[in-house]
Amino acid sequence: MIVNRHVSSDQPDEHDELEQHLTQNLNAPLDWPEDGLSVGHVAAIAVAAACDTAYSQAANGHLIDLFAALPLPGTTEGKSFWERIRDAGGSAAWNIHPANMGGPFFERVHDGNEGGIAYRVLSFLEELTPSQRTDVAEAIGSALDNGTIGISGRYGGELWLRDAEMSAWRVGLASRRQFETSQDRERFFEAWRRA
């Protein structure tokens, strides 16, 4: 995984998403445990992080891994590849093209901007026509390393697009959690109990 995962925030007074999740959903105080971590504590933390799709750092990390499987911008292979994506995807491709999305976008994800790349990927995929999506899948699949990934061609490109779409959707869906309170969550469970 290219993205460094941060269990704690870089800012001493701020709590990152996992810390907030653990305090809200596991009722774990921020200074817990006072006597040290046990295997059970570590297991509970791992389960919380792995099972809760709201932890969008994982989905963002996966989006970065997907882009890392493609030819790098600035290389000879990358220039040719990104021209093919632009030709295949038309104006929709500008959402993810390095000339428009390059620079700090991936660094911002690394630094905690949870939605930037995800919303660009979703906009890109939403704007593609069915024939453009097929052409983009062909271009992506032809660039995937069959020896490393085990699949290439249009099917590999389609898998890349579906995976990027679902990862971006998870980031977008998770972003709503920052506005959700424990009362909102309890209201949800109560409504479904009474249904």
Side-chain angles (χ1 to χ4, degrees), residues 124-153:
F124 165 61
L125 293 167
E126 179 183 23
E127 294 172 23
L128 289 176
T129 66
S131 64
Q132 285 175 324
R133 188 170 173 128
T134 298
D135 293 345
V136 167
E138 283 281 351
I140 290 173
S142 69
L144 295 176
D145 184 357
N146 190 23
T148 302
I149 298 174
I151 193 161
S152 60

mmCIF file of all heavy atoms in Angstrom, residues 124-153:
data_model
loop_
_atom_site.group_PDB
_atom_site.id
_atom_site.type_symbol
_atom_site.label_atom_id
_atom_site.label_comp_id
_atom_site.label_asym_id
_atom_site.label_seq_id
_atom_site.Cartn_x
_atom_site.Cartn_y
_atom_site.Cartn_z
ATOM 1 N N PHE A 124 -15.791 11.155 -13.428
ATOM 2 C CA PHE A 124 -15.264 10.552 -14.653
ATOM 3 C C PHE A 124 -16.167 9.407 -15.116
ATOM 4 O O PHE A 124 -16.620 9.383 -16.266
ATOM 5 C CB PHE A 124 -13.843 10.054 -14.388
ATOM 6 C CG PHE A 124 -13.290 9.107 -15.413
ATOM 7 C CD1 PHE A 124 -13.130 9.480 -16.731
ATOM 8 C CD2 PHE A 124 -12.902 7.827 -15.046
ATOM 9 C CE1 PHE A 124 -12.599 8.612 -17.672
ATOM 10 C CE2 PHE A 124 -12.375 6.950 -15.972
ATOM 11 C CZ PHE A 124 -12.222 7.331 -17.287
ATOM 12 N N LEU A 125 -16.466 8.493 -14.220
ATOM 13 C CA LEU A 125 -17.256 7.318 -14.600
ATOM 14 C C LEU A 125 -18.704 7.678 -14.933
ATOM 15 O O LEU A 125 -19.301 7.090 -15.839
ATOM 16 C CB LEU A 125 -17.188 6.271 -13.491
ATOM 17 C CG LEU A 125 -15.789 5.668 -13.312
ATOM 18 C CD1 LEU A 125 -15.699 4.886 -12.021
ATOM 19 C CD2 LEU A 125 -15.430 4.802 -14.506
ATOM 20 N N GLU A 126 -19.249 8.641 -14.226
ATOM 21 C CA GLU A 126 -20.632 9.056 -14.497
ATOM 22 C C GLU A 126 -20.773 9.680 -15.879
ATOM 23 O O GLU A 126 -21.783 9.486 -16.557
ATOM 24 C CB GLU A 126 -21.078 10.057 -13.427
ATOM 25 C CG GLU A 126 -22.490 10.570 -13.627
ATOM 26 C CD GLU A 126 -22.884 11.613 -12.609
ATOM 27 O OE1 GLU A 126 -21.990 12.263 -12.022
ATOM 28 O OE2 GLU A 126 -24.098 11.794 -12.406
ATOM 29 N N GLU A 127 -19.752 10.420 -16.302
ATOM 30 C CA GLU A 127 -19.823 11.138 -17.575
ATOM 31 C C GLU A 127 -19.505 10.274 -18.792
ATOM 32 O O GLU A 127 -19.784 10.679 -19.926
ATOM 33 C CB GLU A 127 -18.886 12.345 -17.533
ATOM 34 C CG GLU A 127 -19.305 13.404 -16.532
ATOM 35 C CD GLU A 127 -18.275 14.503 -16.357
ATOM 36 O OE1 GLU A 127 -17.448 14.708 -17.282
ATOM 37 O OE2 GLU A 127 -18.290 15.153 -15.298
ATOM 38 N N LEU A 128 -18.935 9.089 -18.589
ATOM 39 C CA LEU A 128 -18.619 8.217 -19.725
ATOM 40 C C LEU A 128 -19.889 7.636 -20.340
ATOM 41 O O LEU A 128 -20.784 7.194 -19.619
ATOM 42 C CB LEU A 128 -17.726 7.054 -19.279
ATOM 43 C CG LEU A 128 -16.291 7.351 -18.898
ATOM 44 C CD1 LEU A 128 -15.616 6.084 -18.389
ATOM 45 C CD2 LEU A 128 -15.517 7.945 -20.066
ATOM 46 N N THR A 129 -19.937 7.613 -21.674
ATOM 47 C CA THR A 129 -21.011 6.885 -22.344
ATOM 48 C C THR A 129 -20.649 5.395 -22.291
ATOM 49 O O THR A 129 -19.485 5.042 -22.033
ATOM 50 C CB THR A 129 -21.140 7.324 -23.816
ATOM 51 O OG1 THR A 129 -19.941 6.933 -24.507
ATOM 52 C CG2 THR A 129 -21.360 8.835 -23.933
ATOM 53 N N PRO A 130 -21.602 4.497 -22.545
ATOM 54 C CA PRO A 130 -21.260 3.062 -22.540
ATOM 55 C C PRO A 130 -20.125 2.712 -23.505
ATOM 56 O O PRO A 130 -19.242 1.921 -23.166
ATOM 57 C CB PRO A 130 -22.578 2.381 -22.928
ATOM 58 C CG PRO A 130 -23.635 3.325 -22.435
ATOM 59 C CD PRO A 130 -23.052 4.706 -22.656
ATOM 60 N N SER A 131 -20.115 3.306 -24.690
ATOM 61 C CA SER A 131 -19.038 2.980 -25.643
ATOM 62 C C SER A 131 -17.705 3.559 -25.167
ATOM 63 O O SER A 131 -16.657 2.924 -25.344
ATOM 64 C CB SER A 131 -19.383 3.471 -27.048
ATOM 65 O OG SER A 131 -19.486 4.874 -27.086
ATOM 66 N N GLN A 132 -17.730 4.742 -24.560
ATOM 67 C CA GLN A 132 -16.493 5.301 -24.014
ATOM 68 C C GLN A 132 -15.965 4.435 -22.878
ATOM 69 O O GLN A 132 -14.763 4.217 -22.772
ATOM 70 C CB GLN A 132 -16.728 6.725 -23.503
ATOM 71 C CG GLN A 132 -16.863 7.764 -24.586
ATOM 72 C CD GLN A 132 -17.208 9.130 -24.015
ATOM 73 O OE1 GLN A 132 -17.958 9.248 -23.040
ATOM 74 N NE2 GLN A 132 -16.667 10.172 -24.628
ATOM 75 N N ARG A 133 -16.874 3.938 -22.037
ATOM 76 C CA ARG A 133 -16.442 3.093 -20.922
ATOM 77 C C ARG A 133 -15.758 1.836 -21.457
ATOM 78 O O ARG A 133 -14.734 1.404 -20.918
ATOM 79 C CB ARG A 133 -17.626 2.744 -20.022
ATOM 80 C CG ARG A 133 -17.195 2.039 -18.754
ATOM 81 C CD ARG A 133 -18.339 1.916 -17.776
ATOM 82 N NE ARG A 133 -17.949 1.101 -16.648
ATOM 83 C CZ ARG A 133 -18.070 1.454 -15.381
ATOM 84 N NH1 ARG A 133 -18.581 2.617 -15.062
ATOM 85 N NH2 ARG A 133 -17.693 0.646 -14.430
ATOM 86 N N THR A 134 -16.289 1.264 -22.514
ATOM 87 C CA THR A 134 -15.670 0.090 -23.133
ATOM 88 C C THR A 134 -14.280 0.434 -23.672
ATOM 89 O O THR A 134 -13.325 -0.319 -23.466
ATOM 90 C CB THR A 134 -16.564 -0.449 -24.267
ATOM 91 O OG1 THR A 134 -17.818 -0.845 -23.702
ATOM 92 C CG2 THR A 134 -15.932 -1.636 -24.974
ATOM 93 N N ASP A 135 -14.175 1.580 -24.343
ATOM 94 C CA ASP A 135 -12.884 1.996 -24.897
ATOM 95 C C ASP A 135 -11.864 2.291 -23.789
ATOM 96 O O ASP A 135 -10.685 1.944 -23.912
ATOM 97 C CB ASP A 135 -13.059 3.233 -25.783
ATOM 98 C CG ASP A 135 -13.865 2.939 -27.047
ATOM 99 O OD1 ASP A 135 -14.041 1.742 -27.387
ATOM 100 O OD2 ASP A 135 -14.331 3.912 -27.677
ATOM 101 N N VAL A 136 -12.314 2.922 -22.708
ATOM 102 C CA VAL A 136 -11.428 3.211 -21.582
ATOM 103 C C VAL A 136 -10.975 1.906 -20.930
ATOM 104 O O VAL A 136 -9.800 1.743 -20.583
ATOM 105 C CB VAL A 136 -12.123 4.140 -20.554
ATOM 106 C CG1 VAL A 136 -11.362 4.186 -19.243
ATOM 107 C CG2 VAL A 136 -12.267 5.542 -21.133
ATOM 108 N N ALA A 137 -11.895 0.945 -20.804
ATOM 109 C CA ALA A 137 -11.534 -0.361 -20.232
ATOM 110 C C ALA A 137 -10.477 -1.042 -21.084
ATOM 111 O O ALA A 137 -9.532 -1.647 -20.558
ATOM 112 C CB ALA A 137 -12.778 -1.245 -20.098
ATOM 113 N N GLU A 138 -10.611 -0.953 -22.395
ATOM 114 C CA GLU A 138 -9.598 -1.511 -23.303
ATOM 115 C C GLU A 138 -8.236 -0.861 -23.072
ATOM 116 O O GLU A 138 -7.218 -1.548 -22.979
ATOM 117 C CB GLU A 138 -10.000 -1.289 -24.765
ATOM 118 C CG GLU A 138 -11.061 -2.219 -25.287
ATOM 119 C CD GLU A 138 -10.519 -3.591 -25.663
ATOM 120 O OE1 GLU A 138 -9.287 -3.802 -25.690
ATOM 121 O OE2 GLU A 138 -11.350 -4.458 -25.924
ATOM 122 N N ALA A 139 -8.228 0.482 -22.967
ATOM 123 C CA ALA A 139 -6.967 1.201 -22.783
ATOM 124 C C ALA A 139 -6.328 0.840 -21.440
ATOM 125 O O ALA A 139 -5.119 0.594 -21.366
ATOM 126 C CB ALA A 139 -7.208 2.709 -22.868
ATOM 127 N N ILE A 140 -7.127 0.784 -20.384
ATOM 128 C CA ILE A 140 -6.590 0.442 -19.062
ATOM 129 C C ILE A 140 -6.108 -0.996 -19.051
ATOM 130 O O ILE A 140 -5.007 -1.293 -18.584
ATOM 131 C CB ILE A 140 -7.639 0.698 -17.967
ATOM 132 C CG1 ILE A 140 -7.852 2.198 -17.794
ATOM 133 C CG2 ILE A 140 -7.218 0.055 -16.643
ATOM 134 C CD1 ILE A 140 -8.989 2.577 -16.865
ATOM 135 N N GLY A 141 -6.924 -1.905 -19.576
ATOM 136 C CA GLY A 141 -6.552 -3.322 -19.587
ATOM 137 C C GLY A 141 -5.289 -3.597 -20.362
ATOM 138 O O GLY A 141 -4.480 -4.440 -19.975
ATOM 139 N N SER A 142 -5.081 -2.861 -21.457
ATOM 140 C CA SER A 142 -3.864 -3.070 -22.253
ATOM 141 C C SER A 142 -2.621 -2.598 -21.505
ATOM 142 O O SER A 142 -1.511 -3.032 -21.799
ATOM 143 C CB SER A 142 -3.977 -2.353 -23.595
ATOM 144 O OG SER A 142 -3.946 -0.952 -23.421
ATOM 145 N N ALA A 143 -2.798 -1.699 -20.516
ATOM 146 C CA ALA A 143 -1.659 -1.181 -19.761
ATOM 147 C C ALA A 143 -1.361 -1.984 -18.501
ATOM 148 O O ALA A 143 -0.287 -1.850 -17.935
ATOM 149 C CB ALA A 143 -1.915 0.274 -19.378
ATOM 150 N N LEU A 144 -2.317 -2.804 -18.058
ATOM 151 C CA LEU A 144 -2.099 -3.585 -16.838
ATOM 152 C C LEU A 144 -1.075 -4.674 -17.086
ATOM 153 O O LEU A 144 -1.056 -5.301 -18.146
ATOM 154 C CB LEU A 144 -3.413 -4.206 -16.353
ATOM 155 C CG LEU A 144 -4.491 -3.224 -15.897
ATOM 156 C CD1 LEU A 144 -5.774 -3.980 -15.533
ATOM 157 C CD2 LEU A 144 -4.017 -2.382 -14.733
ATOM 158 N N ASP A 145 -0.239 -4.911 -16.126
ATOM 159 C CA ASP A 145 0.814 -5.920 -16.226
ATOM 160 C C ASP A 145 0.228 -7.292 -15.925
ATOM 161 O O ASP A 145 -0.021 -7.636 -14.774
ATOM 162 C CB ASP A 145 1.940 -5.587 -15.252
ATOM 163 C CG ASP A 145 3.115 -6.539 -15.367
ATOM 164 O OD1 ASP A 145 3.045 -7.504 -16.168
ATOM 165 O OD2 ASP A 145 4.100 -6.327 -14.652
ATOM 166 N N ASN A 146 0.002 -8.082 -16.973
ATOM 167 C CA ASN A 146 -0.592 -9.412 -16.820
ATOM 168 C C ASN A 146 0.271 -10.306 -15.930
ATOM 169 O O ASN A 146 -0.249 -11.125 -15.176
ATOM 170 C CB ASN A 146 -0.810 -10.057 -18.190
ATOM 171 C CG ASN A 146 -1.634 -11.327 -18.113
ATOM 172 O OD1 ASN A 146 -2.398 -11.529 -17.168
ATOM 173 N ND2 ASN A 146 -1.493 -12.179 -19.109
ATOM 174 N N GLY A 147 1.583 -10.143 -15.996
ATOM 175 C CA GLY A 147 2.475 -10.970 -15.180
ATOM 176 C C GLY A 147 2.358 -10.668 -13.695
ATOM 177 O O GLY A 147 2.505 -11.556 -12.864
ATOM 178 N N THR A 148 2.083 -9.431 -13.343
ATOM 179 C CA THR A 148 1.963 -9.036 -11.941
ATOM 180 C C THR A 148 0.539 -9.211 -11.437
ATOM 181 O O THR A 148 0.303 -9.770 -10.371
ATOM 182 C CB THR A 148 2.384 -7.558 -11.771
ATOM 183 O OG1 THR A 148 3.708 -7.406 -12.242
ATOM 184 C CG2 THR A 148 2.295 -7.130 -10.318
ATOM 185 N N ILE A 149 -0.418 -8.721 -12.210
ATOM 186 C CA ILE A 149 -1.814 -8.709 -11.769
ATOM 187 C C ILE A 149 -2.525 -10.010 -12.130
ATOM 188 O O ILE A 149 -3.434 -10.436 -11.437
ATOM 189 C CB ILE A 149 -2.539 -7.480 -12.358
ATOM 190 C CG1 ILE A 149 -1.873 -6.212 -11.823
ATOM 191 C CG2 ILE A 149 -4.012 -7.479 -12.007
ATOM 192 C CD1 ILE A 149 -2.384 -4.936 -12.407
ATOM 193 N N GLY A 150 -2.122 -10.637 -13.200
ATOM 194 C CA GLY A 150 -2.723 -11.909 -13.589
ATOM 195 C C GLY A 150 -3.864 -11.776 -14.574
ATOM 196 O O GLY A 150 -4.444 -12.773 -14.986
ATOM 197 N N ILE A 151 -4.200 -10.564 -14.956
ATOM 198 C CA ILE A 151 -5.268 -10.367 -15.929
ATOM 199 C C ILE A 151 -5.017 -9.053 -16.656
ATOM 200 O O ILE A 151 -4.479 -8.106 -16.082
ATOM 201 C CB ILE A 151 -6.655 -10.386 -15.246
ATOM 202 C CG1 ILE A 151 -7.740 -10.508 -16.274
ATOM 203 C CG2 ILE A 151 -6.855 -9.187 -14.371
ATOM 204 C CD1 ILE A 151 -9.049 -10.988 -15.718
ATOM 205 N N SER A 152 -5.381 -9.008 -17.916
ATOM 206 C CA SER A 152 -5.230 -7.770 -18.682
ATOM 207 C C SER A 152 -6.341 -7.746 -19.722
ATOM 208 O O SER A 152 -7.295 -8.499 -19.636
ATOM 209 C CB SER A 152 -3.843 -7.703 -19.327
ATOM 210 O OG SER A 152 -3.656 -8.791 -20.211
ATOM 211 N N GLY A 153 -6.210 -6.907 -20.728
ATOM 212 C CA GLY A 153 -7.229 -6.793 -21.751
ATOM 213 C C GLY A 153 -8.455 -6.065 -21.232
ATOM 214 O O GLY A 153 -8.460 -5.505 -20.142
#
